[in-house]
Amino acid sequence: MGVFQKIAQLLKANINDLIEKAADPEKMLNQLIEDMEDQLQKARAEVANALADEKLLEKKVEENRKAAEDWQKKAELAVSKGEDELAVEALKRKREHERLAQEYQKQYEAQHEAVEKLKSGLKMLEDKIEEAKRRRDLLIAKSKRADAQITITHTMSKLTDTSAFESFEKYAQKIEQKEARAQAQEELLNSTKTLEDKFKELENSDADILDELQKLKEKMGK
C-alpha cells in the first residue's frame, strides 16, 4: 500500500467514532495527526524521487539530441573529406541517437505527467492534514465540554437525590414525637398531684409574694 493510500485511509477514518471509543481522545487525535505527518513525509520523498527520475529522463533526451547533432556534423565532415563510408557510419549513429531521444522524450512526458499528478495529490493531502489539525482542536474542545457536562449532570443527579432529605425528615419526626411524649408525661404527672401538694405550692407562692410586699413597705416607710 502506497503512502498516499495510507494517508487517505487516515483522513477517511471516522474521527467521531474513534473519540467515543478512545480512553484519551486528545492523545488519540494527536497520534493520528502524527501518523498523517509521518506518511506525508514519505509521500514527499516519493514525489522527490519521481521528480528526480523526470529530470534524469529530460537529461537523457538532451544528451541524445546533442549526440545526434554531433554525429550530423561528423557526417558532414566525412562527406567534405570524401570519406563516404565514415559519413554513412556517422549518419547511422545520428539516427540511433535520434531514436533514443524520441524514446526518452516519450518516457519524459509520461513521467512529467505522473509527477504533476503526484504534486497535485501531495498539495491536496497537505491541505487536508491542515484541515484535520483544525478539526482536531475543535473536536478536543467538544470532547472536554462533553466531559464537563457529564460531570455536571452526575453532580446534579446527586443534588436532586431526596433519599438523604427523606431520612432527615424521618429522624426529625422521631425527635418531635419523643418530645411530645415527654411533654405528655409531664402533664400527666402534674395532673396526678394530690390536693395537699397543690396547696403547699400555693402557700409557697403566696409566702414569696407576702415577703416581697413586706420589703416594699419597709422601703417606703410604711
Side-chain angles (χ1 to χ4, degrees), residues 148-166:
Q149 187 63 40
I150 291 172
T151 301
I152 292 171
T153 302
H154 183 65
T155 302
M156 290 299 296
S157 67
K158 290 182 178 179
L159 292 176
T160 55
D161 184 4
T162 59
S163 59
F165 295 100
E166 291 172 354

Side-chain angles (χ1 to χ4, degrees), residues 75 141 189 212 215:
L189 179 63
E212 185 175 353
K215 290 180 179 180

Side-chain angles (χ1 to χ4, degrees), residues 12-108:
K12 289 179 181 178
N14 189 333
I15 302 299
N16 292 325
D17 184 54
L18 290 173
I19 287 178
E20 291 179 0
K21 295 179 180 179
D24 188 342
E26 183 172 355
K27 183 178 179 180
M28 182 274 298
L29 286 172
N30 287 333
Q31 184 61 51
L32 279 175
I33 295 297
E34 185 176 336
D35 291 343
M36 290 179 189
E37 290 182 332
D38 287 343
Q39 294 299 326
L40 183 60
Q41 290 299 323
K42 294 178 181 178
R44 285 174 177 158
E46 285 193 3
V47 173
N49 290 334
L51 184 58
D53 290 341
E54 177 191 347
K55 297 295 184 183
L56 181 60
L57 289 170
E58 184 179 24
K59 183 178 180 182
K60 290 291 185 180
V61 171
E62 293 301 320
E63 286 177 351
N64 281 280
R65 284 178 178 172
K66 179 66 169 56
E69 292 175 0
D70 290 342
W71 284 109
Q72 174 68 30
K73 291 178 181 178
K74 288 178 180 179
E76 293 174 357
L77 177 62
V79 170
S80 69
K81 298 295 185 180
E83 297 288 344
D84 291 347
E85 290 184 7
L86 287 177
V88 169
E89 290 299 323
L91 289 173
K92 287 180 180 180
R93 294 290 184 89
K94 184 196 78 165
R95 287 188 179 184
E96 181 180 351
H97 285 291
E98 286 177 340
R99 181 181 59 78
L100 288 172
Q102 290 175 355
E103 291 296 328
Y104 279 122
Q105 179 66 30
K106 291 178 182 178
Q107 293 182 37
Y108 165 76

